[in-house]
Amino acid sequence: DAPDTDTNSKLLKICQLLDQEVEYYNWTGFYFRNGEKEELILGPYVGAETDHTVIPFGKGICGQVAVSGETFVVPDVHTQDNYLSCSIDTKSEIVVPIFKNGKNIGQIDIDSHKIDPFTKADEEVLQWICEKVAEII
Ligand code: SME
């Protein structure tokens, strides 16, 4: 479900921090499951405005992670058929699921203007952040 106002402001701070600290993070945001519906709703984010405020399960990289529950690293978005383009500047993407009580409740989504920038360290830090987010949600 959508987090409350106080939680949203914390989530926005996380986005701002990541956006400031990591040069190749060019769009950083959260998506959360809309109740029991099979769709994601855009939460706090930093970066260009996106048309994708609601994403059905299975659609795009985000929708696929909603189904798989696994981190999805896309070194080059142009190689993906099932991809929702946010900005023509985006070249790569990483999506990490957020689990609470064993349930896939949402995700952090990061786009980069660089090809293949994401390392194991990115995956690990983002997974750690997602664990912390699950605790405050
Ligand atoms: N690229 C995503 C859509 C969300 S935007 O990147 C913010 C996708 O394919 O699911």
Side-chain angles (χ1 to χ4, degrees):
D1 264 345
D4 63 27
T5 314
D6 180 53
T7 308
N8 272 333
S9 82
K10 289 178 185 160
L11 295 176
L12 182 61
K13 279 187 193 153
I14 294 172
C15 295
Q16 288 165 337
L17 188 70
L18 288 170
D19 181 74
Q20 280 161 24
E21 294 301 321
V22 189
E23 167 264 322
Y24 54 88
Y25 288 4
N26 304 118
W27 190 98
T28 299
F30 289 94
Y31 282 93
F32 290 97
R33 185 170 181 173
N34 185 10
E36 288 304 308
K37 287 192 194 160
E38 302 220 321
E39 65 184 23
L40 297 163
I41 303 280
L42 179 63
Y45 70 94
V46 168
E49 217 177 290
T50 175
D51 289 339
H52 303 116
T53 54
V54 180
I55 300 179
F57 277 26
K59 294 268 188 241
I61 309 304
C62 295
Q64 290 177 76
V65 170
V67 174
S68 73
E70 278 169 25
T71 295
F72 196 163
V73 180
V74 183
D76 178 356
V77 294
H78 298 110
T79 65
Q80 299 292 311
D81 293 328
N82 189 1
Y83 167 70
L84 301 170
S85 175
C86 246
S87 149
I88 51 161
D89 296 322
T90 298
K91 297 206 172 55
S92 56
E93 178 163 3
I94 181 170
V95 179
V96 178
I98 300 169
F99 283 93
K100 190 170 178 80
N101 302 326
K103 222 178 134 190
N104 185 350
I105 59 156
Q107 50 193 236
I108 192 166
D109 175 19
I110 295 172
D111 289 354
S112 177
H113 297 169
K114 224 174 131 182
I115 291 261
D116 198 13
F118 303 112
T119 66
K120 276 280 161 214
D122 292 284
E123 287 186 48
E124 284 167 14
V125 168
L126 295 172
Q127 280 162 2
W128 181 83
I129 289 171
C130 286
E131 284 167 23
K132 295 291 150 196
V133 165
E135 289 171 16
I136 62 159
I137 257 173

